[in-house]
Coordinates of all heavy atoms in Angstrom, one line a residue:
P1 N -211.1 62.1 136.4 CA -210.6 60.7 136.6 C -211.6 59.8 137.2 O -211.7 58.6 136.7 CB -209.4 60.9 137.7 CG -209.0 62.3 137.6 CD -210.2 63.1 137.1
I2 N -212.5 60.2 138.1 CA -213.5 59.4 138.6 C -214.6 59.2 137.5 O -215.1 58.1 137.4 CB -214.2 60.0 139.9 CG1 -213.2 60.0 141.0 CG2 -215.4 59.3 140.3 CD1 -213.7 60.7 142.3
L3 N -214.9 60.2 136.8 CA -215.9 60.0 135.7 C -215.4 59.1 134.6 O -216.1 58.2 134.2 CB -216.2 61.4 135.0 CG -217.2 61.4 133.9 CD1 -218.6 60.8 134.4 CD2 -217.4 62.8 133.4
D4 N -214.1 59.2 134.3 CA -213.5 58.2 133.3 C -213.6 56.8 133.8 O -213.9 55.8 133.1 CB -212.0 58.6 133.0 CG -211.9 59.8 132.3 OD1 -212.8 60.2 131.5 OD2 -210.8 60.5 132.3
M5 N -213.3 56.6 135.1 CA -213.4 55.2 135.7 C -214.8 54.7 135.7 O -215.1 53.5 135.4 CB -212.8 55.2 137.1 CG -212.8 53.9 137.8 SD -211.8 52.7 136.8 CE -210.4 52.7 137.9
A6 N -215.8 55.6 136.0 CA -217.2 55.2 135.9 C -217.6 54.8 134.5 O -218.3 53.8 134.4 CB -218.0 56.3 136.5
V7 N -217.2 55.5 133.5 CA -217.5 55.2 132.2 C -216.9 53.9 131.7 O -217.6 53.1 131.2 CB -217.1 56.4 131.2 CG1 -217.2 55.9 129.7 CG2 -217.9 57.6 131.5
K8 N -215.7 53.7 132.2 CA -215.0 52.4 131.8 C -215.7 51.2 132.5 O -215.9 50.1 131.9 CB -213.6 52.4 132.2 CG -212.7 53.3 131.3 CD -211.3 53.3 131.8 CE -210.5 54.3 130.9 NZ -209.1 54.4 131.4
L9 N -216.2 51.4 133.7 CA -216.8 50.4 134.5 C -218.2 50.0 133.8 O -218.6 48.9 133.7 CB -217.0 50.8 136.0 CG -217.7 49.8 136.9 CD1 -216.9 48.5 136.9 CD2 -217.9 50.4 138.3
I10 N -218.9 51.1 133.4 CA -220.2 50.9 132.8 C -220.0 50.2 131.4 O -220.7 49.2 131.1 CB -220.9 52.2 132.6 CG1 -221.4 52.7 133.9 CG2 -222.1 52.0 131.7 CD1 -221.9 54.1 133.9
A11 N -219.0 50.6 130.7 CA -218.7 49.9 129.4 C -218.4 48.4 129.6 O -218.8 47.6 128.8 CB -217.6 50.7 128.6
A12 N -217.5 48.2 130.5 CA -217.2 46.8 130.8 C -218.3 46.0 131.3 O -218.5 44.8 130.9 CB -216.1 46.8 131.9
S13 N -219.2 46.5 132.1 CA -220.4 45.8 132.5 C -221.4 45.5 131.4 O -221.9 44.4 131.3 CB -221.2 46.7 133.6 OG -220.4 46.8 134.7
L14 N -221.6 46.5 130.5 CA -222.4 46.2 129.3 C -221.9 45.2 128.4 O -222.6 44.3 127.9 CB -222.6 47.6 128.5 CG -223.5 48.6 129.2 CD1 -223.5 49.9 128.4 CD2 -224.9 48.1 129.4
L15 N -220.6 45.2 128.2 CA -219.9 44.2 127.4 C -220.1 42.8 128.0 O -220.4 41.9 127.3 CB -218.4 44.5 127.1 CG -217.6 43.6 126.3 CD1 -218.2 43.6 124.9 CD2 -216.2 44.0 126.3
L16 N -219.8 42.7 129.3 CA -219.9 41.4 129.9 C -221.4 40.9 129.9 O -221.6 39.7 129.6 CB -219.4 41.5 131.3 CG -219.5 40.2 132.2 CD1 -218.7 39.1 131.6 CD2 -219.1 40.5 133.6
S17 N -222.3 41.8 130.2 CA -223.7 41.3 130.2 C -224.2 40.9 128.8 O -225.0 40.0 128.7 CB -224.6 42.4 130.9 OG -224.6 43.5 130.1
S18 N -223.7 41.6 127.8 CA -224.2 41.2 126.4 C -223.6 39.9 126.0 O -224.3 39.1 125.3 CB -223.8 42.3 125.4 OG -222.4 42.3 125.3
A19 N -222.5 39.5 126.5 CA -221.9 38.2 126.2 C -222.6 37.1 127.0 O -222.8 36.0 126.5 CB -220.4 38.1 126.6
L20 N -223.2 37.4 128.1 CA -223.8 36.4 128.9 C -225.3 36.2 128.5 O -225.8 35.1 128.8 CB -223.9 36.8 130.4 CG -222.5 36.9 131.1 CD1 -222.7 37.5 132.5 CD2 -221.9 35.5 131.2
V21 N -225.9 37.1 127.8 CA -227.3 37.0 127.4 C -227.5 36.0 126.2 O -228.5 35.4 126.2 CB -227.8 38.4 127.0 CG1 -229.2 38.3 126.4 CG2 -227.9 39.3 128.2
S22 N -226.5 35.9 125.4 CA -226.6 35.1 124.2 C -226.7 33.6 124.6 O -225.7 33.0 125.0 CB -225.5 35.3 123.3 OG -225.6 34.4 122.1
A23 N -227.9 33.0 124.5 CA -228.0 31.6 124.9 C -228.8 30.7 123.9 O -228.9 29.6 124.0 CB -228.8 31.5 126.2
D24 N -229.3 31.4 122.8 CA -230.1 30.7 121.8 C -229.2 30.3 120.6 O -228.3 31.0 120.3 CB -231.2 31.5 121.4 CG -232.3 31.7 122.4 OD1 -232.4 30.8 123.3 OD2 -232.9 32.7 122.4
W25 N -229.5 29.2 120.0 CA -228.8 28.8 118.8 C -229.8 28.3 117.8 O -230.7 27.6 118.2 CB -227.8 27.7 119.2 CG -227.1 27.2 117.9 CD1 -226.0 27.7 117.3 CD2 -227.4 26.0 117.1 NE1 -225.6 27.0 116.3 CE2 -226.4 25.9 116.1 CE3 -228.4 25.1 117.2 CZ2 -226.5 24.9 115.1 CZ3 -228.4 24.1 116.2 CH2 -227.5 24.0 115.2
T26 N -229.7 28.7 116.6 CA -230.5 28.2 115.5 C -229.7 27.8 114.4 O -228.6 28.3 114.2 CB -231.5 29.3 115.1 OG1 -230.9 30.4 114.6 CG2 -232.5 29.7 116.1
G27 N -230.1 26.8 113.7 CA -229.4 26.4 112.5 C -229.8 25.0 112.1 O -230.8 24.4 112.6
T28 N -229.0 24.4 111.2 CA -229.3 23.0 110.8 C -228.1 22.1 111.1 O -227.0 22.6 111.2 CB -229.7 23.0 109.3 OG1 -228.5 23.5 108.6 CG2 -230.9 23.8 109.0
G29 N -228.4 20.9 111.2 CA -227.3 19.9 111.5 C -227.9 18.7 112.2 O -229.1 18.4 112.1
D30 N -227.0 18.0 112.9 CA -227.4 16.8 113.6 C -227.4 17.1 115.1 O -226.5 17.8 115.7 CB -226.4 15.7 113.4 CG -226.4 15.3 111.9 OD1 -227.5 15.3 111.3 OD2 -225.3 15.0 111.4
L31 N -228.3 16.5 115.8 CA -228.4 16.5 117.3 C -228.4 15.0 117.8 O -229.2 14.3 117.3 CB -229.7 17.2 117.7 CG -230.1 17.0 119.2 CD1 -229.1 17.6 120.1 CD2 -231.5 17.6 119.4
K32 N -227.5 14.8 118.7 CA -227.5 13.5 119.3 C -228.0 13.7 120.8 O -227.4 14.5 121.5 CB -226.1 12.8 119.3 CG -225.7 12.4 117.9 CD -224.4 11.8 117.9 CE -224.0 11.5 116.5 NZ -222.6 10.9 116.4
C33 N -229.0 13.0 121.2 CA -229.6 13.2 122.5 C -229.4 11.9 123.3 O -229.8 10.9 123.0 CB -231.1 13.4 122.3 SG -231.9 13.6 123.9
Y34 N -228.6 12.1 124.4 CA -228.4 11.0 125.4 C -229.1 11.3 126.6 O -228.5 11.9 127.6 CB -226.9 10.8 125.6 CG -226.1 10.4 124.3 CD1 -225.6 11.4 123.5 CD2 -226.0 9.1 124.0 CE1 -224.9 11.0 122.3 CE2 -225.4 8.7 122.9 CZ -224.8 9.6 122.1 OH -224.2 9.2 120.9
G35 N -230.4 11.0 126.7 CA -231.2 11.3 127.8 C -232.7 11.1 127.5 O -233.1 10.4 126.6
H36 N -233.5 11.8 128.3 CA -235.0 11.7 128.1 C -235.4 12.4 126.9 O -234.9 13.4 126.4 CB -235.7 12.3 129.4 CG -235.5 11.5 130.6 ND1 -234.4 11.4 131.3 CD2 -236.5 10.7 131.3 CE1 -234.6 10.7 132.4 NE2 -235.8 10.2 132.4
V37 N -236.5 11.8 126.2 CA -237.1 12.5 125.1 C -238.6 12.5 125.3 O -239.2 11.7 126.0 CB -236.7 11.7 123.8 CG1 -235.3 11.8 123.5 CG2 -237.2 10.3 123.8
E38 N -239.2 13.4 124.6 CA -240.7 13.5 124.5 C -241.0 13.3 123.0 O -240.4 14.0 122.2 CB -241.2 14.9 124.9 CG -240.9 15.2 126.4 CD -241.4 16.6 126.8 OE1 -241.7 17.4 125.9 OE2 -241.3 16.8 128.0
V39 N -242.0 12.5 122.7 CA -242.3 12.1 121.4 C -243.8 12.5 121.2 O -244.6 12.1 122.0 CB -242.1 10.6 121.1 CG1 -242.6 10.3 119.7 CG2 -240.7 10.3 121.3
E40 N -244.1 13.2 120.1 CA -245.5 13.4 119.7 C -245.7 12.8 118.3 O -245.0 13.2 117.3 CB -245.8 14.9 119.6 CG -245.7 15.7 120.9 CD -246.0 17.2 120.6 OE1 -246.7 17.5 119.7 OE2 -245.5 18.0 121.5
A41 N -246.6 11.8 118.2 CA -246.9 11.2 117.0 C -248.3 10.7 117.0 O -248.8 10.2 118.0 CB -245.9 10.0 116.7
S42 N -249.0 10.8 115.9 CA -250.4 10.5 115.8 C -250.6 9.6 114.5 O -250.8 10.2 113.5 CB -251.3 11.7 115.8 OG -252.6 11.3 115.8
F43 N -250.5 8.3 114.6 CA -250.7 7.4 113.5 C -251.0 6.1 114.0 O -250.8 5.8 115.2 CB -249.6 7.4 112.5 CG -248.2 7.4 113.1 CD1 -247.7 6.2 113.5 CD2 -247.4 8.5 113.2 CE1 -246.4 6.1 114.1 CE2 -246.2 8.5 113.8 CZ -245.6 7.3 114.2
D44 N -251.6 5.2 113.1 CA -252.0 3.9 113.5 C -250.9 3.0 113.9 O -249.7 3.2 113.5 CB -252.8 3.3 112.4 CG -254.1 4.0 112.1 OD1 -254.6 4.6 113.0 OD2 -254.5 3.9 110.9
Q45 N -251.2 2.0 114.7 CA -250.2 0.9 115.0 C -250.0 0.0 113.9 O -250.8 -0.1 113.0 CB -250.7 0.2 116.3 CG -250.8 1.0 117.5 CD -251.3 0.1 118.7 OE1 -251.4 -1.1 118.6 NE2 -251.5 0.8 119.8
G46 N -248.9 -0.7 113.9 CA -248.7 -1.8 112.9 C -247.5 -1.4 112.0 O -246.7 -0.5 112.2
A47 N -247.4 -2.2 110.9 CA -246.2 -2.1 110.1 C -246.2 -0.8 109.3 O -245.1 -0.4 108.9 CB -246.2 -3.3 109.1
S48 N -247.3 -0.2 109.0 CA -247.3 1.0 108.2 C -247.5 2.2 109.1 O -248.3 3.1 108.9 CB -248.5 1.0 107.2 OG -249.7 0.8 107.8
N49 N -246.8 2.2 110.2 CA -246.9 3.2 111.2 C -246.0 4.4 110.9 O -244.9 4.6 111.5 CB -246.6 2.7 112.6 CG -245.3 2.0 112.7 OD1 -244.6 1.8 111.8 ND2 -244.9 1.7 113.9
E50 N -246.4 5.2 109.9 CA -245.6 6.3 109.6 C -246.5 7.6 109.5 O -247.7 7.5 109.3 CB -244.9 6.2 108.2 CG -245.8 6.0 107.1 CD -245.1 5.8 105.8 OE1 -244.3 4.9 105.7 OE2 -245.3 6.7 104.9
G51 N -245.9 8.7 109.7 CA -246.6 9.9 109.7 C -245.8 11.0 110.3 O -244.7 10.8 110.8
P52 N -246.4 12.2 110.4 CA -245.6 13.3 110.9 C -245.5 13.2 112.5 O -246.4 12.6 113.1 CB -246.5 14.6 110.6 CG -247.8 14.0 110.3 CD -247.6 12.6 109.8
G53 N -244.4 13.6 113.0 CA -244.2 13.6 114.4 C -243.1 14.5 114.9 O -242.5 15.2 114.0
K54 N -242.9 14.6 116.2 CA -241.9 15.5 116.8 C -241.2 14.7 117.8 O -241.8 14.0 118.6 CB -242.5 16.8 117.3 CG -243.2 17.7 116.4 CD -243.7 18.9 117.0 CE -244.4 19.8 116.1 NZ -245.0 21.0 116.7
V55 N -239.9 14.9 118.0 CA -239.1 14.4 119.1 C -238.4 15.6 119.7 O -237.8 16.4 119.0 CB -238.1 13.4 118.5 CG1 -237.3 12.9 119.7 CG2 -238.8 12.2 117.9
R56 N -238.4 15.6 121.0 CA -237.8 16.8 121.7 C -236.8 16.1 122.8 O -237.3 15.2 123.5 CB -238.9 17.5 122.5 CG -238.4 18.8 123.1 CD -239.6 19.7 123.5 NE -239.1 20.8 124.3 CZ -239.6 21.1 125.4 NH1 -240.6 20.5 125.9 NH2 -239.1 22.1 126.1
C57 N -235.6 16.6 122.8 CA -234.6 16.1 123.8 C -234.8 16.9 125.1 O -234.7 18.2 125.0 CB -233.2 16.3 123.2 SG -231.9 15.6 124.2
V58 N -235.0 16.2 126.2 CA -235.3 16.9 127.4 C -234.5 16.3 128.5 O -234.9 15.5 129.3 CB -236.8 16.8 127.8 CG1 -237.2 17.6 129.0 CG2 -237.7 17.1 126.6
P59 N -233.2 16.7 128.6 CA -232.3 16.1 129.7 C -232.9 16.5 131.0 O -233.5 17.5 131.2 CB -231.0 16.8 129.5 CG -231.1 17.4 128.1 CD -232.5 17.7 127.8
V60 N -232.6 15.6 132.0 CA -233.0 15.8 133.4 C -231.8 16.1 134.2 O -230.7 15.8 133.9 CB -233.8 14.7 134.0 CG1 -235.1 14.5 133.2 CG2 -233.0 13.4 134.0
E61 N -232.0 16.8 135.3 CA -230.9 17.2 136.2 C -230.2 15.9 136.7 O -230.8 14.9 137.1 CB -231.5 17.9 137.5 CG -230.4 18.4 138.4 CD -231.0 19.3 139.6 OE1 -232.2 19.5 139.6 OE2 -230.2 19.7 140.4
W62 N -228.9 16.0 136.7 CA -228.1 14.8 137.1 C -228.0 14.6 138.6 O -227.8 15.6 139.3 CB -226.7 15.0 136.5 CG -225.8 13.8 136.8 CD1 -226.0 12.5 136.5 CD2 -224.5 13.8 137.4 NE1 -225.0 11.7 136.8 CE2 -224.0 12.5 137.4 CE3 -223.7 14.8 137.9 CZ2 -222.8 12.1 138.0 CZ3 -222.5 14.4 138.5 CH2 -222.1 13.1 138.5
D63 N -228.2 13.4 139.0 CA -228.1 13.0 140.4 C -227.2 11.9 140.5 O -227.5 10.8 140.1 CB -229.5 12.6 140.9 CG -229.5 12.2 142.4 OD1 -228.5 12.3 143.0 OD2 -230.6 11.8 142.9
S64 N -226.0 12.2 141.0 CA -224.9 11.1 141.1 C -225.4 9.9 142.0 O -224.9 8.8 141.8 CB -223.6 11.7 141.6 OG -223.8 12.2 143.0
A65 N -226.3 10.1 142.8 CA -226.7 9.0 143.7 C -227.4 7.9 143.0 O -227.5 6.7 143.5 CB -227.7 9.5 144.8
T66 N -227.9 8.2 141.8 CA -228.7 7.1 141.0 C -227.7 6.1 140.4 O -228.1 5.1 140.0 CB -229.5 7.8 139.9 OG1 -228.6 8.4 138.9 CG2 -230.5 8.7 140.4
G67 N -226.4 6.5 140.3 CA -225.5 5.6 139.6 C -225.5 5.8 138.1 O -224.7 5.1 137.4
L68 N -226.4 6.6 137.5 CA -226.5 6.8 136.1 C -225.5 7.9 135.7 O -225.3 8.8 136.5 CB -227.9 7.1 135.7 CG -229.0 6.0 136.0 CD1 -230.4 6.6 135.7 CD2 -228.7 4.8 135.3
G69 N -225.1 7.9 134.5 CA -224.3 8.9 134.0 C -225.2 10.1 133.7 O -226.4 10.0 133.6
P70 N -224.5 11.3 133.5 CA -225.3 12.5 133.2 C -225.8 12.5 131.8 O -225.2 11.9 130.9 CB -224.3 13.6 133.4 CG -222.9 13.0 133.1 CD -223.1 11.6 133.6
E71 N -226.9 13.1 131.6 CA -227.5 13.2 130.2 C -226.9 14.3 129.5 O -226.3 15.3 130.1 CB -229.0 13.4 130.3 CG -229.7 12.2 131.0 CD -231.2 12.2 131.1 OE1 -231.8 13.2 130.5 OE2 -231.7 11.3 131.7
A72 N -226.8 14.3 128.1 CA -226.2 15.3 127.3 C -226.8 15.4 126.0 O -227.5 14.5 125.5 CB -224.7 14.9 127.2
M73 N -226.5 16.5 125.3 CA -226.9 16.8 123.9 C -225.6 17.2 123.2 O -224.9 18.0 123.7 CB -228.0 17.9 123.8 CG -229.3 17.6 124.4 SD -230.5 18.9 124.2 CE -229.9 20.2 125.3
F74 N -225.4 16.6 122.0 CA -224.3 16.9 121.2 C -224.8 17.5 119.8 O -225.5 16.9 119.1 CB -223.4 15.7 120.9 CG -222.9 15.1 122.1 CD1 -223.5 14.1 122.8 CD2 -221.6 15.6 122.6 CE1 -223.0 13.6 124.0 CE2 -221.1 15.0 123.8 CZ -221.8 14.1 124.5
F75 N -224.4 18.7 119.6 CA -224.8 19.4 118.3 C -223.6 19.5 117.3 O -222.5 19.8 117.7 CB -225.2 20.9 118.7 CG -226.4 21.0 119.5 CD1 -226.2 20.9 120.9 CD2 -227.7 21.2 119.0 CE1 -227.3 21.0 121.8 CE2 -228.8 21.3 119.8 CZ -228.6 21.2 121.2
H76 N -224.0 19.1 116.1 CA -223.0 19.2 115.0 C -223.7 20.0 113.8 O -224.5 19.4 113.1 CB -222.6 17.8 114.5 CG -222.0 16.9 115.6 ND1 -220.7 17.1 116.0 CD2 -222.6 16.0 116.4 CE1 -220.5 16.2 116.9 NE2 -221.6 15.5 117.2
G77 N -223.4 21.2 113.8 CA -224.1 22.1 112.8 C -223.5 21.9 111.4 O -222.4 21.5 111.2
S78 N -224.4 22.1 110.4 CA -224.0 22.0 109.0 C -222.9 23.0 108.6 O -222.2 22.7 107.7 CB -225.3 22.3 108.1 OG -226.3 21.4 108.4
N79 N -222.8 24.0 109.4 CA -221.6 25.0 109.1 C -220.3 24.6 109.8 O -219.4 25.3 109.8 CB -222.1 26.4 109.6 CG -222.3 26.4 111.1 OD1 -222.2 25.4 111.8 ND2 -222.6 27.6 111.6
G80 N -220.3 23.4 110.4 CA -219.1 22.9 111.1 C -219.0 23.2 112.6 O -218.1 22.7 113.2
Q81 N -219.9 24.1 113.0 CA -219.9 24.4 114.5 C -220.3 23.2 115.3 O -221.3 22.5 114.9 CB -220.8 25.6 114.7 CG -220.9 26.0 116.2 CD -221.9 27.1 116.4 OE1 -222.8 27.3 115.6 NE2 -221.8 27.7 117.6
E82 N -219.6 22.9 116.4 CA -220.0 21.8 117.3 C -220.0 22.3 118.7 O -219.1 23.1 119.1 CB -219.0 20.6 117.1 CG -219.0 20.0 115.7 CD -218.1 18.8 115.7 OE1 -217.5 18.4 116.7 OE2 -218.0 18.3 114.6
F83 N -220.9 21.8 119.5 CA -220.9 22.1 120.9 C -221.7 21.1 121.7 O -222.5 20.3 121.0 CB -221.4 23.5 121.2 CG -222.8 23.8 120.8 CD1 -223.9 23.7 121.7 CD2 -223.1 24.2 119.5 CE1 -225.1 24.0 121.3 CE2 -224.4 24.5 119.1 CZ -225.4 24.4 120.1
E84 N -221.6 21.1 123.0 CA -222.2 20.1 123.8 C -222.9 20.7 125.0 O -222.5 21.8 125.5 CB -221.2 19.1 124.4 CG -220.3 18.4 123.4 CD -219.1 17.8 124.0 OE1 -218.9 17.9 125.2 OE2 -218.4 17.1 123.3
I85 N -224.0 20.1 125.4 CA -224.7 20.6 126.6 C -224.8 19.4 127.6 O -225.4 18.3 127.1 CB -226.1 21.2 126.3 CG1 -225.9 22.5 125.5 CG2 -226.8 21.5 127.6 CD1 -227.2 23.1 125.0
W86 N -224.3 19.5 128.8 CA -224.3 18.4 129.7 C -225.3 18.8 130.8 O -225.2 19.9 131.4 CB -222.9 18.2 130.3 CG -222.0 17.6 129.3 CD1 -221.3 18.2 128.4 CD2 -221.7 16.2 129.1 NE1 -220.6 17.3 127.6 CE2 -220.8 16.0 128.1 CE3 -222.2 15.0 129.8 CZ2 -220.3 14.8 127.7 CZ3 -221.7 13.8 129.4 CH2 -220.8 13.7 128.3
A87 N -226.1 17.8 131.3 CA -227.0 18.1 132.3 C -226.3 18.4 133.7 O -226.9 19.1 134.5 CB -227.9 16.8 132.5
W88 N -225.1 17.9 133.9 CA -224.5 18.2 135.2 C -224.0 19.6 135.3 O -223.6 20.0 136.4 CB -223.3 17.2 135.4 CG -222.2 17.3 134.4 CD1 -221.8 18.2 133.5 CD2 -221.2 16.2 134.2 NE1 -220.7 17.9 132.8 CE2 -220.3 16.7 133.2 CE3 -220.9 15.0 134.8 CZ2 -219.3 15.9 132.8 CZ3 -219.9 14.2 134.4 CH2 -219.1 14.7 133.4
D89 N -224.2 20.4 134.2 CA -223.9 21.8 134.3 C -225.1 22.6 134.8 O -225.0 23.9 135.0 CB -223.4 22.4 133.0 CG -222.0 21.8 132.6 OD1 -221.2 21.6 133.5 OD2 -221.8 21.7 131.4
Y90 N -226.3 22.0 134.9 CA -227.5 22.7 135.3 C -228.1 22.0 136.5 O -228.4 20.8 136.5 CB -228.5 22.6 134.1 CG -228.0 23.4 132.9 CD1 -227.1 22.7 132.0 CD2 -228.2 24.8 132.7 CE1 -226.6 23.3 130.9 CE2 -227.7 25.4 131.6 CZ -226.9 24.7 130.7 OH -226.3 25.4 129.6
H91 N -228.3 22.8 137.6 CA -228.8 22.3 138.8 C -229.9 23.1 139.4 O -229.8 23.9 140.3 CB -227.8 22.1 139.9 CG -226.7 21.1 139.5 ND1 -226.9 19.8 139.6 CD2 -225.4 21.3 139.0 CE1 -225.8 19.2 139.2 NE2 -224.9 20.1 138.8
P92 N -231.1 23.1 138.7 CA -232.2 23.9 139.2 C -232.6 23.7 140.7 O -232.9 24.7 141.4 CB -233.4 23.5 138.3 CG -232.8 22.9 137.1 CD -231.5 22.3 137.6
S93 N -232.4 22.5 141.2 CA -232.7 22.2 142.6 C -231.7 22.9 143.5 O -232.0 23.1 144.7 CB -232.8 20.7 142.9 OG -231.5 20.2 142.7
W94 N -230.6 23.3 143.0 CA -229.5 24.0 143.8 C -229.7 25.5 143.8 O -229.0 26.2 144.4 CB -228.1 23.6 143.4 CG -227.8 22.2 143.6 CD1 -228.5 21.2 144.0 CD2 -226.5 21.7 143.2 NE1 -227.8 20.0 144.0 CE2 -226.6 20.3 143.5 CE3 -225.3 22.1 142.7 CZ2 -225.5 19.4 143.3 CZ3 -224.3 21.3 142.5 CH2 -224.4 20.0 142.8
G95 N -230.6 26.0 142.8 CA -230.8 27.4 142.7 C -229.9 28.1 141.7 O -229.9 29.3 141.6
F96 N -229.2 27.3 140.9 CA -228.5 28.0 139.8 C -228.6 27.1 138.5 O -228.9 25.9 138.6 CB -227.0 28.2 140.1 CG -226.1 27.1 140.3 CD1 -225.5 26.4 139.3 CD2 -226.0 26.5 141.6 CE1 -224.7 25.3 139.4 CE2 -225.2 25.4 141.8 CZ -224.6 24.8 140.7
G97 N -228.4 27.7 137.4 CA -228.7 27.0 136.1 C -230.1 26.6 136.1 O -230.5 25.4 135.8
D98 N -231.0 27.6 136.4 CA -232.4 27.4 136.6 C -233.2 26.7 135.5 O -234.2 26.1 135.6 CB -233.1 28.7 136.9 CG -232.6 29.2 138.3 OD1 -232.1 28.4 139.1 OD2 -232.6 30.4 138.4
V99 N -232.7 26.8 134.2 CA -233.4 26.3 133.1 C -232.6 25.3 132.4 O -231.5 25.6 131.9 CB -233.8 27.5 132.1 CG1 -234.5 26.9 130.9 CG2 -234.6 28.5 132.8
M100 N -233.0 24.0 132.4 CA -232.4 23.0 131.7 C -232.6 23.2 130.2 O -233.8 23.2 129.8 CB -232.9 21.6 132.1 CG -232.2 20.4 131.5 SD -230.5 20.2 131.9 CE -230.6 19.7 133.6
P101 N -231.6 23.3 129.4 CA -231.8 23.4 127.9 C -232.5 22.2 127.3 O -232.3 21.1 127.8 CB -230.4 23.5 127.4 CG -229.5 23.9 128.5 CD -230.2 23.3 129.7
T102 N -233.3 22.4 126.3 CA -234.0 21.4 125.5 C -233.8 21.6 124.0 O -233.4 22.7 123.7 CB -235.5 21.3 125.9 OG1 -236.1 22.5 125.5 CG2 -235.7 21.0 127.3
A103 N -234.0 20.6 123.3 CA -233.8 20.8 121.8 C -234.9 19.9 121.1 O -235.3 18.9 121.6 CB -232.5 20.4 121.3

């Protein structure tokens, strides 16, 4: 009986930890970024300012004292999957949610 309980506890722990580890998403679709962005572009100024570049959505930790709303990312995958990431769910300065997601 004790061995059976230990096996069940270990199985439940493994199942729970495997569900918590999955944090990456890859795919195609649309991303709406309501927050800070980082832009990398190298081309001339003026009307013909086109060329390769990168834009990265980098939300910052929400601080209600600023009076600003929280930053967020909204994902709409080509496969119909939709999800949101809100900066108010991550508080590195509080010691949890240590890594703010970026896209």
